[in-house]
C-alpha cells in the first residue's frame, strides 16, 4: 500500500530526524568543551614546565659544588665510580610548606654527596684532585647503618611541633640515617615566638621556623633579611 504525505509515518520520521539533530548538537557541544579543556590543560602544562625549567636552571646555577657533582655523576654513569649514590638533598623530598625550613637547617649538609662506602669516597677525592675539579664533602652510607636506629624512632616534642627529619620522604629507606646524621632532632616551629619557647625549654632543641629563622642548641639565633634559602 502506498503511503501518502498525510500518513502518520512522516511525523515519526520528522521526530526521529529532530532527535538525531539534537544528539548531534549535543555531541558537537561536548566536543567543543572537551577541546577547550584540552587546550587549557596543554597551556597549563606548558607554563608549569617553563616554570620548573626556570627554577631548576636557577637552582643549578646557584648550587654550591654543582660542577663537582656533575663531574662525579658522570663518573658514576660511565661506570668508573659506581659506588656514588648522589647529592643528599636530591635523595629525599618534603612538602613545599617546609622547603625554607629544611633548606635553612640543612644548608651545606644537603649538598653532601652520599656514597656507598669509604672506598668510594676515597676514589671520588682522588678523581677531584687528579682533574682539579674542586672539593666535595662525602658521607659513607655503610658507616651509618644501625647507628641511629633508636634516635630515628618517632617521638613527641614540646608543643607538638614536628621534627624536620620525620617530614622528609626518602627515595629509599636506607637513606634515612644519612638525613638524620645531619638534621638530628631539629624541630620546626610556626614562628619565632614558638621557636624561642621550644628551643629554651627544659630541654634545649635546635629549632627552625617556617620562614627560616634558626636557633641552635648553643643559643645562637640567625635570621632576618629578604632572601630565603630554598630549593
Amino acid at each position: 500500500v502506498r503511503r501518502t504525505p498525510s500518513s502518520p509515518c512522516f511525523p515519526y520520521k520528522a521526530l526521529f530526524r529532530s532527535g538525531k539533530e539534537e544528539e548531534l548538537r549535543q555531541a558537537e557541544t561536548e566536543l567543543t568543551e572537551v577541546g577547550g579543556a584540552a587546550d587549557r590543560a596543554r597551556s597549563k602544562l606548558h607554563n608549569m614546565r617553563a616554570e620548573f625549567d626556570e627554577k631548576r636552571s636557577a637552582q643549578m646555577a646557584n648550587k654550591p659544588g654543582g660542577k663537582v657533582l656533575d663531574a662525579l655523576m658522570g663518573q658514576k654513569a660511565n661506570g668508573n665510580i659506581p659506588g656514588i649514590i648522589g647529592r643528599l638533598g636530591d635523595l629525599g623530598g618534603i612538602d613545599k610548606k617546609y622547603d625554607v625550613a629544611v633548606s635553612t637547617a640543612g644548608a651545606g649538609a644537603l649538598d653532601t654527596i652520599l656514597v656507598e662506602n669509604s672506598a668510594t669516597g676515597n676514589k671520588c677525592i682522588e678523581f677531584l684532585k687528579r682533574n682539579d675539579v674542586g672539593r666535595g664533602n662525602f658521607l659513607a652510607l655503610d658507616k651509618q647503618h644501625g647507628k641511629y636506629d633508636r634516635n630515628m624512632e618517632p617521638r613527641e616534642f614540646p608543643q607538638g611541633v614536628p621534627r624536620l627529619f620525620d617530614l622528609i620522604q626518602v627515595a629509599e629507606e636506607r637513606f634515612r640515617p644519612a638525613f638524620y646524621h645531619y638534621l638530628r632532632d631539629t624541630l620546626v616551629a610556626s614562628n619565632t615566638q614558638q621557636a624561642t619557647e621550644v628551643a629554651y625549654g627544659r630541654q634545649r632543641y635546635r629549632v627552625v621556623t617556617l620562614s627560616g629563622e634558626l636557633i641552635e642548641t648553643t643559643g645562637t639565633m640567625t635570621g632576618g633579611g629578604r632572601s630565603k634559602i630554598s630549593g
Side-chain angles (χ1 to χ4, degrees):
V1 178
R2 183 181 179 185
R3 297 184 181 272
T4 65
S6 59
S7 171
C9 181
F10 285 92
Y12 292 145
K13 287 184 178 181
L15 182 62
F16 175 79
R17 185 167 57 250
S18 176
K20 286 300 180 181
E21 289 174 349
E22 179 61 27
E23 290 181 12
L24 179 60
R25 281 195 295 270
Q26 290 179 356
E28 290 174 342
T29 301
E30 291 176 1
L31 180 60
T32 301
E33 292 175 351
V34 170
D39 289 340
R40 290 191 294 272
R42 280 192 291 268
S43 178
K44 183 178 180 180
L45 179 60
H46 174 76
N47 292 335
M48 290 176 66
R49 281 177 175 170
E51 182 180 358
F52 173 77
D53 290 339
E54 181 180 345
K55 288 185 177 181
R56 182 174 61 180
S57 297
Q59 182 179 341
M60 291 302 295
N62 296 322
K63 184 191 298 181
K67 181 180 178 182
V68 170
L69 179 63
D70 289 343
L72 290 173
M73 295 309 287
Q75 290 299 298
K76 174 184 178 179
N78 62 29
N80 289 340
I81 313 180
I84 299 173
I85 299 174
R87 175 180 172 272
L88 183 61
D90 296 333
L91 301 175
I94 197 167
D95 189 282
K96 186 177 180 180
K97 175 181 178 180
Y98 303 102
D99 182 12
V100 172
V102 73
S103 298
T104 301
L110 295 177
D111 289 319
T112 298
I113 299 172
L114 194 62
V115 295
E116 293 288 358
N117 47 53
S118 300
T120 301
N122 290 331
K123 290 181 181 179
C124 291
I125 293 174
E126 292 172 2
F127 167 79
L128 295 178
K129 287 182 177 179
R130 187 168 59 250
N131 294 275
D132 194 25
V133 178
R135 298 174 63 85
N137 295 321
F138 303 90
L139 181 68
L141 186 58
D142 66 332
K143 299 298 183 182
Q144 314 309 314
H145 181 67
K147 190 175 179 180
Y148 304 114
D149 287 354
R150 292 185 60 185
N151 304 80
M152 293 189 300
E153 293 179 358
R155 305 205 310 271
E156 291 293 327
F157 296 96
Q159 298 189 24
V161 297
R163 180 171 59 174
L164 193 57
F165 167 76
D166 296 324
L167 300 173
I168 296 175
Q169 298 179 355
V170 292
E172 294 183 29
E173 187 68 17
R174 67 192 186 108
F175 298 155
R176 293 182 75 239
F179 282 97
Y180 188 84
H181 177 79
Y182 290 109
L183 297 175
R184 301 297 173 109
D185 293 329
T186 301
L187 306 181
V188 186
S190 299
N191 50 54
T192 305
Q193 180 179 345
Q194 185 182 46
T196 303
E197 293 171 355
V198 172
Y200 301 130
R202 295 176 59 183
Q203 180 178 342
R204 287 290 185 93
Y205 285 101
R206 185 174 188 252
V207 185
V208 64
T209 67
L210 295 176
S211 57
E213 288 81 21
L214 180 65
I215 303 178
E216 300 287 356
T217 53
T218 58
T220 304
M221 301 176 66
T222 58
R226 295 182 179 179
S227 60
K228 304 291 183 183
I229 304 175
S230 62

